[in-house]
Amino acid sequence: YDVAFCKSAEEAISMFKSGKADMVSVSLDTAAKLYNENGGKLKMLAINTMGMVYIMTSDENMSDLSYLSGKMVYLPSDNAGVKAIFLRITEKCGVSGIDIQYKTTEEIKTMMLDGTADVCVLPEYGISGVTSKTEKEFNILAINGLWEEEFGFELAQGCVVAKADFVEQNKDLIEEFLGFYEVSINYLYKNDALNSDLLVKEGFVSTEQIAYELVLRCNLRFVSSEEMKTLAQKNLAELNSADSALFGGTLPAEDFYY
Protein backbone atom coordinates (compact mmCIF):
# COMPACT_ATOMS: atom_id res chain seq x y z
CA TYR A 1 0.00 0.00 0.00
CA ASP A 2 1.15 3.53 -0.73
CA VAL A 3 0.59 5.76 2.30
CA ALA A 4 0.59 9.55 2.11
CA PHE A 5 1.09 11.63 5.26
CA CYS A 6 -0.72 14.94 4.92
CA LYS A 7 -0.01 18.16 6.79
CA SER A 8 -3.69 18.82 7.43
CA ALA A 9 -7.10 17.18 7.31
CA GLU A 10 -8.00 19.51 4.46
CA GLU A 11 -5.11 18.20 2.36
CA ALA A 12 -6.11 14.58 3.00
CA ILE A 13 -9.75 15.25 2.14
CA SER A 14 -8.75 17.08 -1.03
CA MET A 15 -6.65 14.10 -2.16
CA PHE A 16 -9.57 11.77 -1.47
CA LYS A 17 -12.12 13.90 -3.31
CA SER A 18 -9.83 14.31 -6.32
CA GLY A 19 -9.29 10.57 -6.60
CA LYS A 20 -5.61 10.69 -5.69
CA ALA A 21 -6.39 8.61 -2.59
CA ASP A 22 -8.68 5.57 -2.42
CA MET A 23 -9.06 5.61 1.35
CA VAL A 24 -8.67 8.37 3.92
CA SER A 25 -8.54 8.65 7.69
CA VAL A 26 -10.83 11.40 8.98
CA SER A 27 -12.91 12.33 12.01
CA LEU A 28 -16.33 10.69 12.40
CA ASP A 29 -18.18 13.94 11.75
CA THR A 30 -16.13 14.56 8.59
CA ALA A 31 -16.91 11.02 7.41
CA ALA A 32 -20.64 11.65 7.90
CA LYS A 33 -20.34 14.96 6.04
CA LEU A 34 -18.55 13.26 3.11
CA TYR A 35 -21.26 10.60 3.06
CA ASN A 36 -24.00 13.22 2.77
CA GLU A 37 -22.07 15.27 0.22
CA ASN A 38 -21.52 12.22 -2.00
CA GLY A 39 -25.08 10.96 -2.02
CA GLY A 40 -24.32 8.11 0.34
CA LYS A 41 -21.58 6.65 -1.85
CA LEU A 42 -19.12 6.19 1.00
CA LYS A 43 -18.21 3.36 3.36
CA MET A 44 -16.83 3.55 6.88
CA LEU A 45 -14.37 0.66 7.11
CA ALA A 46 -13.17 0.92 10.71
CA ILE A 47 -12.85 3.22 13.69
CA ASN A 48 -9.18 3.90 14.43
CA THR A 49 -9.16 6.50 17.20
CA MET A 50 -11.11 7.01 20.40
CA GLY A 51 -11.49 10.34 22.18
CA MET A 52 -8.51 12.65 21.79
CA VAL A 53 -9.98 15.99 22.83
CA TYR A 54 -8.56 17.56 25.98
CA ILE A 55 -9.10 20.51 28.28
CA MET A 56 -5.82 22.20 29.17
CA THR A 57 -4.97 24.73 31.86
CA SER A 58 -1.99 25.70 33.95
CA ASP A 59 -4.25 25.65 37.02
CA GLU A 60 -3.67 22.48 39.04
CA ASN A 61 -7.10 22.86 40.69
CA MET A 62 -9.07 21.66 37.64
CA SER A 63 -10.41 18.17 38.33
CA ASP A 64 -13.72 18.09 36.46
CA LEU A 65 -15.92 20.16 34.15
CA SER A 66 -17.48 22.21 36.94
CA TYR A 67 -14.16 24.08 37.10
CA LEU A 68 -15.03 25.72 33.79
CA SER A 69 -18.09 27.58 35.07
CA GLY A 70 -17.31 31.30 35.07
CA LYS A 71 -14.06 30.76 33.14
CA MET A 72 -13.03 32.00 29.70
CA VAL A 73 -12.33 28.93 27.57
CA TYR A 74 -10.77 29.00 24.11
CA LEU A 75 -12.03 26.59 21.44
CA PRO A 76 -10.56 26.10 17.95
CA SER A 77 -12.53 27.95 15.29
CA ASP A 78 -11.04 25.61 12.69
CA ASN A 79 -12.38 22.37 14.20
CA ALA A 80 -16.17 22.14 14.34
CA GLY A 81 -16.03 18.58 15.66
CA VAL A 82 -14.16 19.62 18.80
CA LYS A 83 -16.70 22.39 19.36
CA ALA A 84 -19.63 19.94 19.08
CA ILE A 85 -17.98 17.46 21.46
CA PHE A 86 -17.31 20.15 24.05
CA LEU A 87 -20.80 21.67 23.82
CA ARG A 88 -22.46 18.27 24.12
CA ILE A 89 -20.48 17.08 27.15
CA THR A 90 -20.87 20.36 29.06
CA GLU A 91 -24.60 20.34 28.32
CA LYS A 92 -24.91 16.74 29.49
CA CYS A 93 -22.99 17.54 32.68
CA GLY A 94 -25.08 20.65 33.36
CA VAL A 95 -22.11 23.01 33.32
CA SER A 96 -23.10 26.56 32.38
CA GLY A 97 -21.65 30.07 32.58
CA ILE A 98 -18.66 29.29 30.36
CA ASP A 99 -17.32 32.24 28.39
CA ILE A 100 -16.40 30.51 25.11
CA GLN A 101 -14.01 32.30 22.78
CA TYR A 102 -12.95 31.08 19.35
CA LYS A 103 -9.45 31.28 17.89
CA THR A 104 -7.58 29.13 15.40
CA THR A 105 -5.66 26.16 16.77
CA GLU A 106 -2.37 27.93 16.08
CA GLU A 107 -3.53 31.08 17.87
CA ILE A 108 -4.63 29.08 20.91
CA LYS A 109 -1.30 27.25 21.06
CA THR A 110 0.54 30.58 21.04
CA MET A 111 -1.75 32.04 23.71
CA MET A 112 -1.28 29.03 25.99
CA LEU A 113 2.48 29.32 25.62
CA ASP A 114 2.67 33.06 26.33
CA GLY A 115 0.06 32.95 29.12
CA THR A 116 -2.60 35.12 27.46
CA ALA A 117 -5.02 32.18 27.62
CA ASP A 118 -5.68 30.23 30.82
CA VAL A 119 -7.96 27.44 29.61
CA CYS A 120 -8.44 25.84 26.21
CA VAL A 121 -9.94 22.81 24.52
CA LEU A 122 -7.84 21.19 21.81
CA PRO A 123 -7.39 17.88 19.99
CA GLU A 124 -4.21 15.97 20.78
CA TYR A 125 -2.07 17.52 18.04
CA GLY A 126 -2.81 20.93 19.56
CA ILE A 127 -1.98 19.75 23.05
CA SER A 128 1.38 18.26 22.03
CA GLY A 129 2.01 21.39 20.00
CA VAL A 130 2.02 23.29 23.30
CA THR A 131 3.71 20.81 25.65
CA SER A 132 6.56 20.08 23.21
CA LYS A 133 7.62 23.73 23.18
CA THR A 134 7.82 24.54 26.87
CA GLU A 135 8.82 23.08 30.23
CA LYS A 136 5.76 24.67 31.79
CA GLU A 137 3.47 22.18 33.56
CA PHE A 138 -0.15 21.88 32.41
CA ASN A 139 -3.18 20.19 33.90
CA ILE A 140 -4.78 18.16 31.09
CA LEU A 141 -8.26 16.65 31.45
CA ALA A 142 -9.43 14.00 28.96
CA ILE A 143 -12.98 14.38 27.67
CA ASN A 144 -13.10 10.70 26.64
CA GLY A 145 -13.43 9.43 30.21
CA LEU A 146 -16.09 12.02 31.04
CA TRP A 147 -17.97 11.12 27.86
CA GLU A 148 -18.07 7.43 28.73
CA GLU A 149 -19.24 8.19 32.27
CA GLU A 150 -22.10 10.37 31.05
CA PHE A 151 -23.24 8.55 27.92
CA GLY A 152 -22.27 4.96 28.65
CA PHE A 153 -20.05 4.52 25.59
CA GLU A 154 -16.64 5.78 24.49
CA LEU A 155 -16.10 8.87 22.43
CA ALA A 156 -15.08 7.57 18.99
CA GLN A 157 -13.32 10.22 16.94
CA GLY A 158 -11.35 8.84 14.02
CA CYS A 159 -12.15 6.40 11.24
CA VAL A 160 -11.02 5.25 7.82
CA VAL A 161 -13.40 5.51 4.87
CA ALA A 162 -13.44 4.63 1.17
CA LYS A 163 -15.70 5.39 -1.75
CA ALA A 164 -18.44 2.78 -2.06
CA ASP A 165 -17.61 1.83 -5.66
CA PHE A 166 -13.95 1.28 -4.75
CA VAL A 167 -14.99 -1.03 -1.91
CA GLU A 168 -17.36 -2.94 -4.19
CA GLN A 169 -14.69 -3.41 -6.86
CA ASN A 170 -11.91 -4.36 -4.43
CA LYS A 171 -13.48 -6.56 -1.76
CA ASP A 172 -10.47 -8.84 -1.34
CA LEU A 173 -8.12 -5.87 -1.10
CA ILE A 174 -10.32 -4.20 1.52
CA GLU A 175 -10.41 -7.36 3.63
CA GLU A 176 -6.65 -7.73 3.35
CA PHE A 177 -6.11 -4.08 4.26
CA LEU A 178 -8.38 -4.27 7.30
CA GLY A 179 -6.54 -7.34 8.52
CA PHE A 180 -3.18 -5.57 8.33
CA TYR A 181 -4.71 -2.39 9.74
CA GLU A 182 -6.09 -4.17 12.80
CA VAL A 183 -2.77 -5.88 13.52
CA SER A 184 -0.87 -2.61 13.09
CA ILE A 185 -3.13 -0.53 15.34
CA ASN A 186 -3.26 -3.20 18.03
CA TYR A 187 0.52 -3.54 17.93
CA LEU A 188 1.01 0.21 18.30
CA TYR A 189 -1.64 0.36 21.02
CA LYS A 190 0.26 -2.22 23.09
CA ASN A 191 3.77 -0.90 22.46
CA ASP A 192 3.88 2.70 23.66
CA ALA A 193 7.65 2.72 24.07
CA LEU A 194 8.20 1.59 20.48
CA ASN A 195 5.82 4.29 19.22
CA SER A 196 7.75 6.92 21.15
CA ASP A 197 11.06 5.80 19.67
CA LEU A 198 9.66 5.85 16.13
CA LEU A 199 8.20 9.34 16.51
CA VAL A 200 11.56 10.71 17.65
CA LYS A 201 13.47 8.90 14.87
CA GLU A 202 11.07 10.25 12.22
CA GLY A 203 11.46 13.77 13.58
CA PHE A 204 7.86 14.35 14.65
CA VAL A 205 8.90 15.35 18.19
CA SER A 206 12.19 16.03 19.96
CA THR A 207 12.17 13.71 22.98
CA GLU A 208 10.86 10.26 23.84
CA GLN A 209 8.98 11.59 26.88
CA ILE A 210 7.00 14.02 24.75
CA ALA A 211 6.40 11.25 22.22
CA TYR A 212 5.25 8.82 24.92
CA GLU A 213 2.67 11.28 26.27
CA LEU A 214 1.52 12.07 22.73
CA VAL A 215 0.99 8.39 21.92
CA LEU A 216 -1.08 7.81 25.05
CA ARG A 217 -3.29 10.81 24.26
CA CYS A 218 -3.84 9.65 20.66
CA ASN A 219 -5.95 6.76 22.02
CA LEU A 220 -5.49 4.49 19.00
CA ARG A 221 -7.99 1.63 18.74
CA PHE A 222 -9.30 -0.66 16.01
CA VAL A 223 -13.06 -1.24 15.94
CA SER A 224 -14.90 -2.80 13.00
CA SER A 225 -18.12 -4.49 11.87
CA GLU A 226 -21.18 -4.30 14.14
CA GLU A 227 -19.26 -2.84 17.07
CA MET A 228 -18.03 -0.04 14.80
CA LYS A 229 -21.52 0.62 13.49
CA THR A 230 -23.12 0.75 16.94
CA LEU A 231 -20.43 3.01 18.40
CA ALA A 232 -20.35 5.33 15.39
CA GLN A 233 -24.14 5.69 15.29
CA LYS A 234 -24.32 6.58 18.98
CA ASN A 235 -21.55 9.16 18.70
CA LEU A 236 -22.90 10.75 15.54
CA ALA A 237 -26.34 11.07 17.12
CA GLU A 238 -24.87 13.00 20.05
CA LEU A 239 -22.77 15.25 17.80
CA ASN A 240 -25.81 15.95 15.62
CA SER A 241 -27.80 17.00 18.68
CA ALA A 242 -25.03 19.45 19.62
CA ASP A 243 -24.67 20.94 16.13
CA SER A 244 -27.15 19.92 13.43
CA ALA A 245 -25.09 21.72 10.78
CA LEU A 246 -21.95 19.71 11.55
CA PHE A 247 -22.50 17.15 8.80
CA GLY A 248 -25.75 18.31 7.22
CA GLY A 249 -28.24 17.34 9.92
CA THR A 250 -28.90 13.90 8.44
CA LEU A 251 -27.46 10.81 10.07
CA PRO A 252 -25.88 8.33 7.63
CA ALA A 253 -28.02 5.37 6.63
CA GLU A 254 -27.23 1.71 7.25
CA ASP A 255 -25.31 1.42 3.98
CA PHE A 256 -22.61 3.75 5.36
CA TYR A 257 -21.20 0.99 7.54
CA TYR A 258 -19.01 -1.74 6.03
mmCIF file of all heavy atoms in Angstrom, residues 12 18 33 36 73 76 84-85 96 110 166 168 190 197 206 216 241 253:
data_model
loop_
_atom_site.group_PDB
_atom_site.id
_atom_site.type_symbol
_atom_site.label_atom_id
_atom_site.label_comp_id
_atom_site.label_asym_id
_atom_site.label_seq_id
_atom_site.Cartn_x
_atom_site.Cartn_y
_atom_site.Cartn_z
ATOM 1 N N ALA A 12 -5.720 15.980 3.143
ATOM 2 C CA ALA A 12 -6.111 14.576 2.995
ATOM 3 C C ALA A 12 -7.468 14.454 2.313
ATOM 4 O O ALA A 12 -7.661 13.627 1.418
ATOM 5 C CB ALA A 12 -6.140 13.902 4.361
ATOM 6 N N SER A 18 -10.374 14.218 -4.966
ATOM 7 C CA SER A 18 -9.834 14.313 -6.322
ATOM 8 C C SER A 18 -9.532 12.952 -6.935
ATOM 9 O O SER A 18 -9.240 12.856 -8.132
ATOM 10 C CB SER A 18 -8.556 15.155 -6.315
ATOM 11 O OG SER A 18 -7.500 14.474 -5.646
ATOM 12 N N LYS A 33 -20.168 13.839 6.973
ATOM 13 C CA LYS A 33 -20.335 14.959 6.035
ATOM 14 C C LYS A 33 -20.020 14.519 4.608
ATOM 15 O O LYS A 33 -20.748 14.834 3.666
ATOM 16 C CB LYS A 33 -19.437 16.118 6.447
ATOM 17 C CG LYS A 33 -19.611 17.370 5.604
ATOM 18 C CD LYS A 33 -18.739 18.499 6.117
ATOM 19 C CE LYS A 33 -18.929 19.760 5.281
ATOM 20 N NZ LYS A 33 -18.084 20.883 5.793
ATOM 21 N N ASN A 36 -22.860 12.410 3.208
ATOM 22 C CA ASN A 36 -24.000 13.219 2.770
ATOM 23 C C ASN A 36 -23.692 14.010 1.503
ATOM 24 O O ASN A 36 -24.549 14.164 0.633
ATOM 25 C CB ASN A 36 -24.442 14.159 3.891
ATOM 26 C CG ASN A 36 -25.148 13.427 5.019
ATOM 27 O OD1 ASN A 36 -25.789 12.411 4.787
ATOM 28 N ND2 ASN A 36 -25.011 13.930 6.236
ATOM 29 N N VAL A 73 -12.896 30.148 28.163
ATOM 30 C CA VAL A 73 -12.327 28.934 27.571
ATOM 31 C C VAL A 73 -12.200 29.119 26.063
ATOM 32 O O VAL A 73 -13.164 29.507 25.391
ATOM 33 C CB VAL A 73 -13.207 27.702 27.866
ATOM 34 C CG1 VAL A 73 -12.615 26.451 27.231
ATOM 35 C CG2 VAL A 73 -13.378 27.517 29.375
ATOM 36 N N PRO A 76 -11.079 25.870 19.299
ATOM 37 C CA PRO A 76 -10.564 26.097 17.949
ATOM 38 C C PRO A 76 -11.674 26.423 16.953
ATOM 39 O O PRO A 76 -12.615 25.642 16.784
ATOM 40 C CB PRO A 76 -9.870 24.776 17.600
ATOM 41 C CG PRO A 76 -10.543 23.762 18.450
ATOM 42 C CD PRO A 76 -10.926 24.461 19.717
ATOM 43 N N ALA A 84 -18.421 20.725 18.832
ATOM 44 C CA ALA A 84 -19.628 19.943 19.083
ATOM 45 C C ALA A 84 -19.443 19.001 20.269
ATOM 46 O O ALA A 84 -20.341 18.850 21.108
ATOM 47 C CB ALA A 84 -20.010 19.153 17.829
ATOM 48 N N ILE A 85 -18.277 18.364 20.345
ATOM 49 C CA ILE A 85 -17.984 17.457 21.459
ATOM 50 C C ILE A 85 -18.019 18.207 22.784
ATOM 51 O O ILE A 85 -18.626 17.757 23.761
ATOM 52 C CB ILE A 85 -16.611 16.786 21.248
ATOM 53 C CG1 ILE A 85 -16.682 15.780 20.095
ATOM 54 C CG2 ILE A 85 -16.132 16.093 22.527
ATOM 55 C CD1 ILE A 85 -15.338 15.285 19.611
ATOM 56 N N SER A 96 -22.708 25.342 33.097
ATOM 57 C CA SER A 96 -23.097 26.564 32.380
ATOM 58 C C SER A 96 -22.184 27.717 32.806
ATOM 59 O O SER A 96 -21.303 27.556 33.650
ATOM 60 C CB SER A 96 -24.558 26.911 32.674
ATOM 61 O OG SER A 96 -24.758 27.086 34.067
ATOM 62 N N THR A 110 -0.313 29.437 20.715
ATOM 63 C CA THR A 110 0.543 30.584 21.044
ATOM 64 C C THR A 110 0.099 31.239 22.342
ATOM 65 O O THR A 110 0.928 31.588 23.198
ATOM 66 C CB THR A 110 0.505 31.626 19.902
ATOM 67 O OG1 THR A 110 1.017 31.020 18.709
ATOM 68 C CG2 THR A 110 1.345 32.839 20.245
ATOM 69 N N PHE A 166 -15.281 1.866 -4.927
ATOM 70 C CA PHE A 166 -13.947 1.277 -4.749
ATOM 71 C C PHE A 166 -14.024 0.039 -3.872
ATOM 72 O O PHE A 166 -13.379 -0.980 -4.152
ATOM 73 C CB PHE A 166 -12.990 2.299 -4.133
ATOM 74 C CG PHE A 166 -11.616 1.766 -3.876
ATOM 75 C CD1 PHE A 166 -10.676 1.675 -4.900
ATOM 76 C CD2 PHE A 166 -11.245 1.328 -2.608
ATOM 77 C CE1 PHE A 166 -9.403 1.155 -4.672
ATOM 78 C CE2 PHE A 166 -9.982 0.811 -2.364
ATOM 79 C CZ PHE A 166 -9.054 0.723 -3.403
ATOM 80 N N GLU A 168 -16.653 -1.913 -3.452
ATOM 81 C CA GLU A 168 -17.356 -2.945 -4.193
ATOM 82 C C GLU A 168 -16.450 -3.643 -5.209
ATOM 83 O O GLU A 168 -16.534 -4.857 -5.396
ATOM 84 C CB GLU A 168 -18.562 -2.327 -4.919
ATOM 85 C CG GLU A 168 -19.406 -3.325 -5.703
ATOM 86 C CD GLU A 168 -20.058 -4.374 -4.808
ATOM 87 O OE1 GLU A 168 -20.325 -4.079 -3.623
ATOM 88 O OE2 GLU A 168 -20.276 -5.505 -5.311
ATOM 89 N N LYS A 190 -0.334 -1.457 21.993
ATOM 90 C CA LYS A 190 0.262 -2.219 23.086
ATOM 91 C C LYS A 190 1.754 -1.979 23.262
ATOM 92 O O LYS A 190 2.380 -2.553 24.149
ATOM 93 C CB LYS A 190 0.002 -3.718 22.859
ATOM 94 C CG LYS A 190 -1.475 -4.094 22.895
ATOM 95 C CD LYS A 190 -1.685 -5.546 22.506
ATOM 96 C CE LYS A 190 -3.162 -5.894 22.487
ATOM 97 N NZ LYS A 190 -3.380 -7.304 22.043
ATOM 98 N N ASP A 197 9.774 5.864 20.349
ATOM 99 C CA ASP A 197 11.063 5.803 19.669
ATOM 100 C C ASP A 197 10.924 6.133 18.186
ATOM 101 O O ASP A 197 11.722 6.882 17.621
ATOM 102 C CB ASP A 197 11.661 4.407 19.838
ATOM 103 C CG ASP A 197 13.054 4.299 19.229
ATOM 104 O OD1 ASP A 197 13.914 5.118 19.602
ATOM 105 O OD2 ASP A 197 13.261 3.414 18.394
ATOM 106 N N SER A 206 10.763 15.973 19.613
ATOM 107 C CA SER A 206 12.187 16.033 19.956
ATOM 108 C C SER A 206 12.640 15.025 21.000
ATOM 109 O O SER A 206 13.801 14.607 20.997
ATOM 110 C CB SER A 206 12.526 17.449 20.442
ATOM 111 O OG SER A 206 11.729 17.799 21.563
ATOM 112 N N LEU A 216 -0.007 8.150 24.116
ATOM 113 C CA LEU A 216 -1.079 7.813 25.055
ATOM 114 C C LEU A 216 -2.323 8.643 24.794
ATOM 115 O O LEU A 216 -3.451 8.134 24.846
ATOM 116 C CB LEU A 216 -0.603 8.020 26.499
ATOM 117 C CG LEU A 216 0.464 7.059 27.014
ATOM 118 C CD1 LEU A 216 0.831 7.420 28.449
ATOM 119 C CD2 LEU A 216 -0.006 5.617 26.938
ATOM 120 N N SER A 241 -26.937 16.271 17.742
ATOM 121 C CA SER A 241 -27.797 17.002 18.683
ATOM 122 C C SER A 241 -27.112 18.271 19.187
ATOM 123 O O SER A 241 -27.765 19.242 19.555
ATOM 124 C CB SER A 241 -28.178 16.110 19.872
ATOM 125 O OG SER A 241 -27.059 15.860 20.706
ATOM 126 N N ALA A 253 -27.179 6.559 6.637
ATOM 127 C CA ALA A 253 -28.023 5.373 6.626
ATOM 128 C C ALA A 253 -27.197 4.117 6.898
ATOM 129 O O ALA A 253 -25.969 4.172 7.033
ATOM 130 C CB ALA A 253 -28.734 5.265 5.274
#
